Amino acid sequence: MDKEKSITVLNSFIIINNARIKRYKKASKDTEKSYLKKVFTNFQITSQRCKTELKKEIIKLGGTPVEDRTHNRSIHNFWFNLKNIFIHKDLNDVLYSCERNETIVMQSYYEAIYNNFGSLSNKQQIMLNDQYLLINVDHDKMKSFQSAF
């Protein structure tokens, strides 16, 4: 097992979870429904737990966990936020966007695990598979909300 490759792979999962947390913070602001705000907060907690676990594993390997890199994309974020000021999002838009993003997260997790199988220890593979399953539960909840409206 190549420790540097493992650290790089595990850091990619931190980036995925950072993006997921950011999306659900935004989704919470985009809805007035208190039950959805709670669900979105719980989804953020799932990703925060995944990040904590990933950081611990990276540190055990002697690496440095990546930080949230949202400040590096400030121009992109500025235009994204400006666009959102002028676009009214109804509940269906918010739910559709969240479900689509969860699908992308699920696909990213699956591909990163599959494509880097040889670079990860058995323990790391189990950890990532467990995280995949946790996020999949959130994804299923999101799909059920979308079909309910």
Side-chain angles (χ1 to χ4, degrees), residues 76-89:
H76 169 75
N77 289 335
F78 169 77
W79 286 111
F80 182 77
N81 291 333
L82 183 64
K83 179 183 83 166
N84 285 327
I85 290 170
F86 298 107
I87 298 174
H88 171 71
K89 288 196 171 190

Side-chain angles (χ1 to χ4, degrees), residues 17-30:
N17 280 287
N18 281 339
R20 189 170 184 264
I21 290 166
K22 185 176 179 182
R23 280 188 213 105
Y24 282 113
K25 283 181 182 177
K26 176 159 181 5
S28 289
K29 292 176 185 174
D30 285 346

Side-chain angles (χ1 to χ4, degrees), residues 26-38 40 88-92 94-95 149:
K26 176 159 181 5
S28 289
K29 292 176 185 174
D30 285 346
T31 185
E32 298 296 320
K33 306 286 186 189
S34 61
Y35 65 92
L36 281 178
K37 288 181 183 290
K38 176 129 177 83
F40 295 157
H88 171 71
K89 288 196 171 190
D90 69 10
L91 183 58
N92 287 330
V94 171
L95 293 174
F149 293 96

Side-chain angles (χ1 to χ4, degrees), residues 36-99:
L36 281 178
K37 288 181 183 290
K38 176 129 177 83
V39 168
F40 295 157
T41 298
N42 288 337
F43 290 177
Q44 290 173 58
I45 291 168
T46 298
S47 278
Q48 193 60 49
R49 287 179 180 154
C50 292
K51 276 180 47 177
T52 299
E53 195 173 26
L54 290 161
K55 286 180 178 183
K56 286 179 184 176
E57 186 63 23
I58 290 168
I59 291 168
K60 279 184 196 175
L61 292 171
T64 304
V66 295
E67 297 299 319
D68 186 3
R69 296 184 180 177
T70 55
H71 63 278
N72 293 342
R73 299 177 53 195
S74 59
I75 293 173
H76 169 75
N77 289 335
F78 169 77
W79 286 111
F80 182 77
N81 291 333
L82 183 64
K83 179 183 83 166
N84 285 327
I85 290 170
F86 298 107
I87 298 174
H88 171 71
K89 288 196 171 190
D90 69 10
L91 183 58
N92 287 330
D93 290 338
V94 171
L95 293 174
Y96 173 77
S97 176
C98 289
E99 195 280 325

